[in-house]
Structures are given as structure tokens and as C-alpha cells.
Amino acid sequence: MSTEKHHISTYMSHGAVLVILLSLTALSVGMAELHLGAISVAVALLVASVKGTTVLTYFMHLKYESLFTKIMVAAVFLMYALVIIFLFFDYLFR
Amino acid sequence: MSNSETHPQVSYLEYQGKYKGILGWITSTDHKRIALLYLYCIIIFFFVAAFLGLTMSIEKMRPGQDFMNAQTYNGFFTVHGIIMIFMIVIPGLAAVFGNFALPLLIGARDVAFPRLNLFSWYLYVTGAILAVLSQLLKGGAPDTGWTFYVPYSAGSSTNVIWALTAAFVLGFSSILTGLNFIVTIHRMRAPGMTWFKMPLFPWALYATAWIQVLATPIVGITLLMVIAERVLHIGFFDPALGGDPVLFQHLFWIYSHPAVYIMILPAMGVITEIFPTFSQKPVFGYGAIAISSLAIAFVGYFVWGHHMFTSGISYWSKWFFSFLTFIVAVPSAIKVFNWISTMYGGSIQMRPPLLYAISFVFLFMIGGFTGLFLGALATNVQLHDTTFVVAHFHYIIFGGMGFAFFAGLHYWYPKMFGRMYSDRWAYIAWGFTFVGFNLLYFPQFIIGIQGMPRRYFDYLPQFQWGHFLSGIGAFILVTGLILMAWNLIYHKKRGAIAPANPWKGVTLEWQIASPPPVENFDEIPVIKHNPYWFGTEEEIRREKKS
Amino acid sequence: MAEIKNIAPSEHHDYQGSKMGMWIFIFTELFLFGGLFLVYAVFRTQYSADFHKAAEETNTFIGTLNTIVLLISSMTVAMSITAIQSNNKGRAIRLLLVTIVLALIFMVNKYFEWGHKFELRLYPGSVVLTNLPKGELLFFGLYFMMTGLHALHVLVGMILLTVTIFRIKSGHVHSGNFSLIENSGLYWHLVDLIWIFLFPMMYLIT
């Protein structure tokens, strides 16, 4: 255990991440208030994805994990994306 | 090679922990004991479900009602399916042989999370109890088929909720086993065992485990949605409430097609261990077999739509899923060629495990080819929901996975119990099983093409010859199964003492005593060679030249 | 467990292994919710007008408030791991307690939010709901299923964090062995991660 190196994040960096996340939340709520119609869905999901990635990278410490863990997480999201695409092969072309 | 006399450790069967008797087993976190716990449960449930199958075959030997009514028949095929799929074939090879052999094959003392492993078994038992209750409770056995298609499963007045909950719990047991195996394979390989020095059964288990982890939650949530639909009247799938029944089929098959690979991949892994041992020759195309396991797992994840060609999915969707279905046949075929080539030029010993393994290849090929008939769009329309599908499915699941299970059982039996069974009786039981199996299912291909629908209680007289032959086949098959079970159970206590390495295998599990000591290895071995390395370097070089 | 000595005598606790196990468990949770997201996506494309209308019924204020609460709680968990790693047990425990309080606030908000829906007779199976257009009916079905399942995960997370506090107090979790707090932390971030996607789907996409 003691031989392994762990990256210790500072309290400040966690605080900074929170500020980013809160601003993104404000952004997406604000955009929703503008009633942009069709784009609003895309914007909301895009902002959510950025927030999700931030949580994964910093709070969940992915940035400091092994390459394998990163690949694993990326592959799992890719798999899910493929499932959505193949499912919509049916619903979009009916 | 060590034997039990000089061994300092006591065998896992004799080990006396804190508790005695059965408590010592059901509180044990030893992967070998947990494997046997699964094995016993699976054998018991297998005979229950096989009995249900037999009675259905007998009922259908004559058109019309003979000794059970249509509703009982519906309950029987549903419970037969639920038990066979969720309680036997999905956990079957992975939980029994995976638990028993995986740590031995990679040179570890146990799996990564032994307590989680025991917990998986408890979940399995809980699910099994729920499934049995669904059959017995007031309200009647579920009659939806194991696929739980809505809207019928949302409305049927039988004990569908119990069966759904059972499948959900069993799914979580399967997920946790998969999780355990992935971490075990990553973290606990013996020193020197790189990925490509790992035996091929662990490779197959690795691919399987990823599907278990990534596909099972989808069916879990789908079953929860059906439960919510029944209890809370939330209409996800019921058209009357705005839902979409085809969406249920999508979600169900997103899991349940990969589930077929959860069943068959470990089976292929077991077979891959058996061929080199009984040919006394390194496996042919090691890398191709290892990678094809992953390829099957990956592509197999995306072929679910081929169960829905007649459900009204879009043209492009049909085209695409049919294409992928044909693609997934390629890595399967690669494996078959490799098994055959492994035997070529080897010194073959036709012992019972190899006999079962060869029958696996034969039956799996029939099942695989007929799968292509079903994967082709035009023939699918004709064959969908006929007994052709039933026959194809049983050739894959029983002929494939079932025979691989028997092969694995005969292969590792001496290691598990430290005794030998009777080869003679094993051959006789194989004869009955093999003939009975083919007689039971082959006619269903033919009457299926002629138009006999599946799951039907009654039929036109023109199909009677097929059902009659099937019925006779069922009797022969069950006789074979009983003989096999007798042979294995009888010799568990009375058979000749098994040597450490009865088959002259070269993988790690044969280098330790039979049955293995509690902690498997006195000293964790250091791996220098490929897993299927027979004889000296000289010999291998000579072999390569010839 | 009774036969703990049957387990391989671990020279060292496999830190990487247990974290990998937790990540894999997180994947299964993501796919569990992923199934619901698929259903949402399909119905949203089919009934976008109805979903638009129904989403206006949800309380954006409470939704935003809960988002903020969960984000802050995610930070406090992350900080508590920093505290453990720098050997400050007291601070780690205090930060975890803050997290649990924030989780409670989340649940109380959820209680009022659901309570309000029930007052409006917008609950599954109600007459009002059944008479709504199909898409709105589906939206509320998904709303209750998804936020309900998420709330269940919040509860599980709270239990995990409580257990962690006790393990820190008893000295099992410290700067040399912090797998438990790290894994509970990962679980808590997962709860947050799912909410990050639920929030726009249920409250914002109007």
C-alpha cells in the first residue's frame, strides 16, 4: 500500500471544480429560460455531458487513474452510444 | 508433481473450518466449495426442468389433450424456460467451472472477492426460491413464456411478478459473478502469466464477464418496468397506456441475445481446454481463439434485433441486424476450425470428456448453421415462431452448452472429487444422450419448416410423426441423463482414487493434488511457457517444421 | 465469514483490485439507468410536443436546488477523501456528515416535490393522469420511475457513507487504507452523475 503513489487533490481544486459545475448548471437553466426550441434539447444535453465529464475526471479522479481504467470508462460509454444508435436505426427509419 | 500423501495442506473437501457439515459449506468462501454448491443446485433444477420438458413431449405425442390441459402446458413451458435459462445455462458453466477452475488455471488462491462470490450464490438461491414459488403459489404458474413479452405479461393473471423478480435477482447474481471474474483475471494471474500466456478458458470467461456486467442491467431495469407496469400501472409497454410493446422486445433482447453468448462462450472455453489435453498437442491458433472470444462478445452485443424481424422494425434495422448476425458467425467458425486443427496430428485419447467435446462441435455446428437460416431475412419470415426455432435453440443451448457442461463435468470430475468415474458407463450414457437428443430435436426442424408453430399445445395430425419421434427421443435422452448422473454420483464416494493428473494435462490445475488443497497452491507458480506447452523445446521446434 | 482463513493470505489488501471492482459496479448501475434513458429517448422522439408540455409541470426551482445540493455534496465527499489521505480523520468525518445532511435535504425536497404532484393527483394510476394525452402520461411514468430509482440510490449512498464514518471512527479506514471511503465516494459521485442527466431531461427540456 505505502509503496503505491496516490495523487492527493487539494481542497482548493475541489472547490474550483464545484464553481465550474455550478456555473454550468446556471448556464443550462438560463438557456432553458430562453426557450430556444429544438436547439434547447441539444444545448441541455451538451451541458450535461460536459458536467458529467467534469465529475468523472476530477471528482471521480479519472484523470489520475491508470490508462486501463480510462479506456474501460470510455469503452463503456461507447458501447452505450452504439446501443442508442442501433436502437434508433429502428425508430428513425420506420 | 505433488500428490496428496506428501501434501502439507488438507484438501478442500476435508477442510474443517469453524462450522461442521452443511454449515461449513454454505458459509465457505472457498471458490471450489462455492462451485460445488452451484453444481448441486444446478443438477437438481436441471432434473426438475428436464422432467417438465419430458411431460410436454409426452403430451404432444398425440394431437389433442391427453393428460394435461392447455393452461398447465403454458405453465410448464414457461417454468421449463425460466429454470433452464436463468437458473441453469446462464450461471451453469461460468459459475460452476468458472468458480472451480478459474483461480486454479491462473495460479491464484481464490477469486478477487471471495465473500462477494458467496453472496452471489445466496442471491442465486433467493432467485431460485422465488422462481419455484412462482410455480406453486396461488394464481397459477406464469404462462408468458420465459421471454415475458408484453402486453400479455402485463395483463396475465398468473404469478408473473414472482417470476420477474426471480429473473431480476438471478440477474444480479450473474452480474456480481462477472464483476468478480474480471477483477480476478486482471489482478490475480500468477507471476509471469501475461495475457497471452493465460489459458483459453479464462479468456472465454473474461469475455463472458463483460457481457454479464454490461448487458444484464438492461434486462434488470426492463423487468422492473414490467413490474411497475403491473403494480403501479405505469404504461411503458402497454399500448393502452401509450407504451410501445416493440420497445420491450428491444430492451429484452439487448440483454437476452448477449445472454446466449453468456451461455456459449464459457462452453467454448471448456471445449478449448479439453481438445489440447486429449490430443496431447498445443492448441492450434491460440491467439485466434482468444481474440475470437472477445469478438463474439462484442459483435454479439449488437445483434439483438434478429429476434424481431417479424415484429415490425424498420427495413434498415432488419438489414443491419441481419448483416451483423452473419458477421458473428465468423469468429464462431474460427473456433471450430481451430478445435479440429488441434486434433489433427495429435495423439488422440477418446476418453469421455473428448467424446462429449466432439459431440459439442457436431451439435453446435448444426445449431449454428440453422441459426444462419434464421438470421437471413427471407427465411426468417417463414421460420419465425415455428419449432424450427425451438430445434435451433436447443441445438445451441443443449447440444452446445449442455454437452460442453457434460464435457467439463467429466473433465474436471477427478479434480473436483478426487475419484474416477467409470469410463464404460460414461460411454453408455453418452450414447443414450446423444441419440436421444438428436431424435428429440431433429424432427422439429422438419415439422417447423412444414409450419408447426412453437408453444402450441395442439396441432394438425400431419405433424404427429415429428412429435411422436420427439417423444421417444425425450425418453431416451432422459435415460441417458439418469445413467450419467448415476455414474457420477455413485463414483463420487466409491470410484478409484484419482491421480493428480489423470489426463496428462499441462495447465496449472493438473499440477496440484486431486482434490486440490484448501489454498490451491503451496507456492504460487511462476509461469514461463505458453499454457499448452507439451514436452521440450526441441519437440516443439520439430513439430513446427513438419 | 466463518472461513476467513480459507481466503488467500493477502500480503497486502488489493487496492487497485477493489477500485476496479467498484468501477465495474458503477458501469452496471449506468446501464441500469441507461435502460430508462433509452425508453425516455424513444418516447421523447415520438411524443416531443407532449413531453414538452409535461416537463413544464415539473418544478424547475426545486430541480435546480436539488442539483446544487447534490453538486455540493459531491464536492464534500471528494474533500473528505483528501482529508483522509492527509491523515485528518476529524475533518473527513465532518465532511462526510455534511454530505449526509445534504443528501437528507435532497430527500426532503424530493418529498415535497412528489407530495405536490400527489396533491395534483398526478400519480401513476390516477384518473387525472390516465386522462392526459399519451405522451404526458408516459412522461410522468418515466418521471416517477427515474426519480424514484434515483432516490433509492441516494438512500443506499447515505447508508454507505454512514458505514464509512463508523469505519473511520473504528480506525479501519485511514491514510494507509482508504479503499472504503474512496469506493463510497465513487458511488456517491455516480448518484450525482445520474442526476446531472436526469435534471435536464425532467426539468429543463421544455
Side-chain angles (χ1 to χ4, degrees):
Chain A
M1 271 302 283
S2 48
T3 55
E4 291 179 71
K5 280 287 244 186
H6 299 286
H7 177 272
I8 303 180
S9 313
T10 59
Y11 297 109
M12 276 299 285
S13 66
H14 288 315
V17 172
L18 179 68
V19 170
I20 295 171
L21 287 171
L22 289 179
S23 342
L24 285 168
T25 309
L27 176 72
S28 80
V29 174
M31 294 293 270
E33 292 300 318
L34 291 178
H35 295 290
L36 292 172
I39 328 169
S40 76
V41 180
V43 170
L45 285 180
L46 191 71
V47 174
S49 306
V50 175
K51 280 167 74 181
T53 318
T54 315
V55 169
L56 279 166
T57 318
Y58 294 100
F59 281 168
M60 296 174 92
H61 233 243
L62 205 54
K63 191 176 172 191
Y64 310 102
E65 292 297 339
S66 63
L67 181 67
F68 177 77
T69 313
K70 288 177 194 166
I71 293 174
M72 200 162 69
V73 174
V76 164
F77 279 97
L78 182 75
M79 285 285 271
Y80 185 68
L82 286 175
V83 170
I84 295 182
I85 292 170
F86 294 163
L87 180 67
F88 274 86
F89 260 44
D90 176 18
Y91 281 97
L92 289 184
F93 298 111
R94 266 209 200 147
Chain B
M1 216 155 292
S2 49
N3 57 49
S4 38
E5 276 81 33
T6 61
H7 214 285
Q9 285 191 52
V10 62
S11 98
Y12 79 103
L13 292 173
E14 291 156 4
Y15 174 77
Q16 186 69 65
K18 195 169 164 190
Y19 298 106
K20 286 182 184 175
I22 195 159
L23 260 181
W25 281 78
I26 61 175
T27 58
S28 171
T29 53
D30 184 335
H31 67 101
K32 304 179 285 296
R33 286 196 169 195
I34 293 172
L36 292 195
L37 290 176
Y38 274 113
L39 178 65
Y40 298 144
C41 293
I42 282 172
I43 288 175
I44 292 166
F45 287 122
F46 178 71
F47 274 98
V48 172
F51 171 77
L52 294 176
L54 177 66
T55 48
M56 290 189 298
S57 293
I58 299 171
E59 167 61 41
K60 283 196 293 186
M61 283 173 83
R62 256 195 347 221
Q65 178 170 336
D66 292 319
F67 61 91
M68 62 166 97
N69 60 30
Q71 186 60 25
T72 314
Y73 180 84
N74 290 345
F76 270 33
F77 79 65
T78 303
V79 177
H80 169 85
I82 292 172
I83 293 181
M84 283 290 193
I85 296 284
F86 292 109
M87 284 151 71
I88 293 160
V89 287
I90 288 179
L93 282 145
V96 176
F97 301 127
N99 262 322
F100 185 81
L102 173 65
L104 299 177
L105 280 166
I106 63 171
R109 295 197 196 277
D110 207 316
V111 292
F113 308 114
R115 275 183 286 180
L116 186 69
N117 200 12
L118 183 63
F119 179 65
S120 306
W121 181 74
Y122 276 102
L123 278 182
Y124 170 80
V125 172
T126 313
I129 291 170
L130 287 170
V132 171
L133 283 178
S134 81
Q135 170 77 94
L136 301 176
L137 284 179
K138 202 171 66 157
D143 56 354
T144 58
W146 74 277
T147 50
F148 303 116
Y149 269 19
V150 283
Y152 185 65
S153 65
S156 167
S157 62
T158 52
N159 300 326
V160 180
I161 290 186
W162 290 87
L164 290 168
T165 317
F168 182 81
V169 175
L170 289 166
F172 265 83
S173 160
S174 168
I175 288 176
L176 294 178
T177 304
L179 187 158
N180 220 334
F181 285 177
I182 294 176
V183 180
T184 306
I185 292 171
H186 269 280
R187 302 291 306 167
M188 301 185 73
R189 278 170 288 134
M193 186 181 278
T194 56
W195 280 92
F196 285 94
K197 280 184 184 159
M198 186 166 74
L200 287 160
F201 183 46
W203 265 105
L205 285 172
Y206 185 71
T208 311
W210 273 113
I211 319 180
Q212 284 177 303
V213 165
L214 294 183
T216 319
I218 302 250
V219 83
I221 194 68
T222 311
L223 299 178
L224 275 188
M225 282 190 262
V226 178
I227 292 175
E229 185 145 338
R230 287 182 67 99
V231 179
L232 305 171
H233 307 286
I234 301 179
F236 295 115
F237 306 123
D238 185 355
L241 294 167
D244 179 2
V246 177
L247 184 59
F248 172 86
Q249 296 187 17
H250 272 298
L251 292 172
F252 182 80
W253 290 114
I254 287 175
Y255 166 72
S256 296
H257 192 78
V260 177
Y261 297 98
I262 296 178
M263 305 162 193
I264 204 69
L265 275 170
M268 291 168 157
V270 169
I271 297 303
T272 319
E273 295 297 323
I274 290 172
F275 274 109
T277 299
F278 291 94
S279 312
Q280 289 293 300
K281 189 169 160 282
V283 73
F284 181 87
Y286 172 91
I289 296 183
I291 298 301
S292 67
S293 290
L294 295 182
I296 290 177
F298 182 73
V299 183
Y301 200 91
F302 298 108
V303 298
W304 76 81
H306 68 213
H307 294 267
M308 303 165 59
F309 287 154
T310 58
S311 305
I313 57 174
S314 76
Y315 170 76
W316 283 109
S317 185
K318 280 184 206 166
W319 183 92
F320 186 74
F321 282 122
S322 177
F323 174 73
L324 279 186
T325 304
F326 277 78
I327 295 286
V328 84
V330 175
S332 314
I334 288 176
K335 281 181 188 277
V336 170
F337 291 134
N338 282 322
W339 292 325
I340 307 294
S341 312
T342 302
M343 287 205 292
Y344 179 77
S347 40
I348 295 169
Q349 286 177 289
M350 194 57 94
R351 302 294 292 272
L354 184 63
L355 192 58
Y356 278 108
I358 291 175
S359 350
F360 163 90
V361 175
F362 178 76
L363 299 174
F364 177 72
M365 270 172 43
I366 296 179
F369 281 128
T370 51
L372 293 180
F373 298 5
L374 291 165
L377 291 174
T379 42
N380 181 277
V381 176
Q382 156 81 10
L383 297 174
H384 187 82
D385 264 350
T386 65
T387 55
F388 188 92
V389 180
V390 176
H392 154 74
F393 182 76
H394 282 85
Y395 264 87
I396 291 283
I397 299 302
F398 194 169
M401 184 271 165
F403 273 75
F405 189 86
F406 302 147
L409 200 56
H410 285 84
Y411 183 57
W412 280 307
Y413 181 92
K415 189 53 68 183
M416 283 177 168
F417 302 108
R419 300 275 180 166
M420 300 300 287
Y421 48 83
S422 149
D423 270 22
R424 209 181 112 152
W425 280 104
Y427 293 134
I428 295 171
W430 171 85
F432 277 99
T433 315
F434 188 77
V435 171
F437 173 83
N438 282 295
L439 194 58
L440 170 54
Y441 294 112
F442 204 83
Q444 299 193 9
F445 278 128
I446 299 164
I447 56 173
I449 293 175
Q450 292 169 345
M452 172 69 211
R454 72 191 287 198
R455 291 177 169 169
Y456 271 34
F457 168 72
D458 198 1
Y459 52 85
L460 298 172
Q462 72 201 66
F463 299 122
Q464 199 197 346
W465 69 271
H467 287 297
F468 189 76
L469 286 182
S470 279
I472 293 173
F475 274 109
I476 300 175
L477 176 61
V478 170
T479 312
L481 294 173
I482 291 172
L483 282 175
M484 186 195 306
W486 172 82
N487 182 24
L488 296 178
I489 294 168
Y490 179 84
H491 291 99
K492 190 181 153 231
K493 286 266 158 64
R494 299 176 193 80
I497 300 286
N501 189 356
W503 319 122
K504 299 194 186 69
V506 290
T507 38
L508 288 175
E509 81 271 35
W510 303 112
Q511 317 309 323
I512 55 172
S514 303
V518 175
E519 292 195 340
N520 297 350
F521 300 93
D522 294 330
E523 228 175 283
I524 296 292
V526 177
I527 310 300
K528 294 189 191 75
H529 297 293
N530 289 325
Y532 306 102
W533 183 80
F534 289 83
T536 63
E537 309 270 19
E538 291 270 318
E539 281 165 0
I540 286 176
R541 225 173 291 141
R542 224 178 301 135
E543 222 176 57
K544 272 184 185 159
K545 271 181 204 155
S546 64
Chain C
M1 281 300 116
E3 295 190 5
I4 208 95
K5 52 191 154 181
N6 268 7
I7 305 169
S10 50
E11 299 81 37
H12 63 90
H13 166 77
D14 188 0
Y15 167 76
Q16 293 292 343
S18 65
K19 193 152 65 175
M20 180 186 278
M22 193 65 212
W23 271 105
I24 295 169
F25 185 71
I26 284 174
F27 299 154
T28 72
E29 292 277 16
L30 284 175
F31 271 72
L32 193 76
F33 278 93
L36 283 169
F37 287 149
L38 285 175
V39 175
Y40 179 94
V42 166
F43 287 144
R44 205 197 133 79
T45 46
Q46 286 181 344
Y47 302 98
S48 39
D50 285 353
F51 266 54
H52 178 90
K53 197 154 162 282
E56 283 179 344
E57 293 279 322
T58 56
N59 192 328
T60 315
F61 176 72
I62 293 192
T64 315
L65 188 67
N66 265 349
T67 307
I68 295 169
V69 167
L70 268 193
L71 286 176
I72 297 175
S73 77
S74 231
M75 181 192 68
T76 51
V77 161
M79 282 180 166
S80 78
I81 295 169
T82 306
I84 274 286
Q85 284 172 328
S86 39
N87 240 337
N88 194 340
K89 275 191 188 179
R91 181 179 282 173
I93 291 175
R94 281 195 298 279
L95 282 163
L96 287 180
L97 282 174
V98 173
T99 313
I100 293 173
V101 170
L102 287 167
L104 268 177
I105 295 175
F106 179 92
M107 292 303 279
V108 170
N109 278 341
K110 186 105 290 176
Y111 172 79
F112 284 116
E113 192 191 342
W114 274 37
H116 185 63
K117 292 275 173 318
F118 276 67
E119 271 169 29
L120 294 174
R121 305 240 173 276
L122 287 172
Y123 54 83
S126 75
V127 186
V128 178
L129 202 59
T130 326
N131 287 329
L132 285 177
K134 291 268 166 74
E136 294 190 40
L137 178 60
L138 287 169
F139 178 87
F140 283 110
L142 279 166
Y143 167 81
F144 280 109
M145 186 84 182
M146 290 170 110
T147 55
L149 194 63
H150 180 261
L152 198 68
H153 281 76
V154 174
L155 279 179
V156 173
M158 286 164 72
I159 295 170
L160 259 179
L161 293 174
T162 314
V163 171
T164 312
I165 290 179
F166 282 108
R167 299 290 283 182
I168 296 175
K169 275 193 176 158
S170 67
H172 286 92
V173 175
H174 48 78
S175 62
N177 179 5
F178 49 85
S179 279
L180 181 66
I181 188 171
E182 202 173 32
N183 288 342
S184 325
L186 280 176
Y187 189 85
W188 191 254
H189 295 310
L190 164 81
V191 171
D192 190 22
L193 191 64
I194 291 166
W195 183 259
I196 284 175
F197 285 94
L198 278 185
F199 171 59
M201 284 163 58
M202 290 299 161
Y203 300 91
L204 290 187
I205 302 179
T206 53

